[in-house]
Amino acid sequence: MTIKKSVQTALIHTDYKAPEGFAAFPSAIHHASTVLFKDVAAMRSGDWKNKNAYTYGLHGTPTTFTLEARLAEIEDGKHCLLAPSGLAAIAMVDFALLKTGDDVLLPENVYNPNRELGKWLSQDFGVTARYYDPLIGAGIAALIQPNTKLIWTEAPGSVSMEVPDLPAICQAAHEKGVLVALDNTWSGGLALRGFELGVDIIMQALTKYQSGGSDVLMGALITRDRALHDRLAQAHMRLGMGVGADDAYLVLRGLATLKLRFDAHDAGARKVASWLKTRPEIGTVLHPALPDCPGHDIWRRDFSGAGGLFSVLFDERYSEAQTDRFVDALKLFKIGYSWGGANSLVMPYRIAAMRKGWQLKGQLVRFNVGLEDPLDLIADIERAFLTL
Ligand SMILES: *Cc1c(COP(=O)(O)O)cnc(C)c1O
């Protein structure tokens, strides 16, 4: 039945329904805060945890459910939750799994904002956050206390590039009932199969390769265990984590080309890194696929690729002022955080101040090799070396 409406009401309500059966490749973008229920009974039986139905925009739309399902499938997991940034996804793990009196272990080379979060939990929330040598392997067993609930891993650390022994860490953790979370951003969720190696939670910054456009911030948490997923989902709900439909669409759009782009970043980065290895200006190339990198043997055992991100240590005769000049002289490599997009990036880090126990010498500069021709990137670096 059509009801009689004034123009003002007709501007808001319509009886028109587009025909069903529209088909196209792109996923539909569903924008919603409010989700409509057919009747009161449907509303009353609505459960925000149930992904077969919809209750509120924050808890999911067809667009976000589709992205979650696809990410879970790619990682060979079962469940996925989206967060408005990679860091928000990290925070969600901590708030879901840690309470006052608990202990969390983080690698010394952990993504720095994750370290900041650990510091905050220690200062204000009565949780202890302790840091371990990323190459500790099975030795982590000695650090696990009765109140240790979570071990963060990152493979490799995204500045200093040490590759951890995940199976050894997971085995030691699981023997003592401790959960292991992996920041799997570097491998794009493609080149490292975290669940096969034993981790319980995989976190990804979709901001990087999955988006691929340097235009979106998003994070994901992927799990296999339903009970663990439910604990994370509870925190997701309580913290009000959600992502915008357009952003979810941009990541969905990136997935089809994810592996092609990742492999191209990987090939380009290996060319640039191998060339750097031959140069007298460079002391050490910290690229997991090259033998100088701590944990290289583990990378060979556990990874099927490397992507575009690696670091170098300049020969120790160069000062920070000199390597800063080098960075400023680059033209194709832009100075900026983040990575995973088409543009090459560069960033100098004061690694000795960041890392307790850092032994290696030389100024650290991190490269993100984009999708430009690697020969042009090499020429750019060669030109900038002249300013050293
Ligand atoms: C970028 C990044 C994050 C955080 O992602 P954001 O979306 O920028 O918050 C976490 N871990 C690693 C290793 C990263 O590179």
Side-chain angles (χ1 to χ4, degrees), residues 116-195:
E116 269 300 312
L117 181 61
K119 216 157 80 183
W120 189 36
L121 291 171
S122 293
Q123 274 168 6
D124 293 346
F125 292 87
V127 170
T128 51
R130 293 179 299 136
Y131 299 87
Y132 65 88
D133 175 347
L135 298 173
I136 197 167
I140 194 120
L143 296 182
I144 296 173
Q145 302 171 349
N147 65 337
T148 304
K149 293 289 156 59
L150 175 66
I151 298 174
W152 270 103
T153 58
E154 200 171 308
S158 64
V159 176
S160 52
M161 298 292 157
E162 303 95 329
V163 187
D165 188 341
L166 290 176
I169 291 174
C170 291
Q171 193 188 338
H174 292 160
E175 274 168 13
K176 301 194 175 174
V178 178
L179 293 167
V180 179
L182 165 67
D183 183 333
N184 201 17
T185 302
W186 184 82
S187 87
L190 297 172
L192 178 67
R193 310 308 287 164
F195 291 123

Side-chain angles (χ1 to χ4, degrees), residues 20-74:
E20 309 238 325
F22 175 76
F25 288 119
S27 316
I29 308 178
H30 291 274
H31 293 100
S33 49
T34 299
V35 168
L36 301 180
F37 299 96
K38 158 165 100 5
D39 51 29
V40 173
M43 179 276 291
R44 293 235 161 93
S45 69
D47 174 6
W48 64 267
K49 289 203 268 318
N50 178 2
K51 294 202 178 187
N52 296 320
Y54 306 98
T55 48
Y56 188 58
L58 205 47
H59 307 144
T61 65
T63 311
T64 57
F65 283 175
T66 302
L67 179 55
E68 288 173 351
R70 298 203 56 194
L71 292 169
E73 185 183 3
I74 294 164

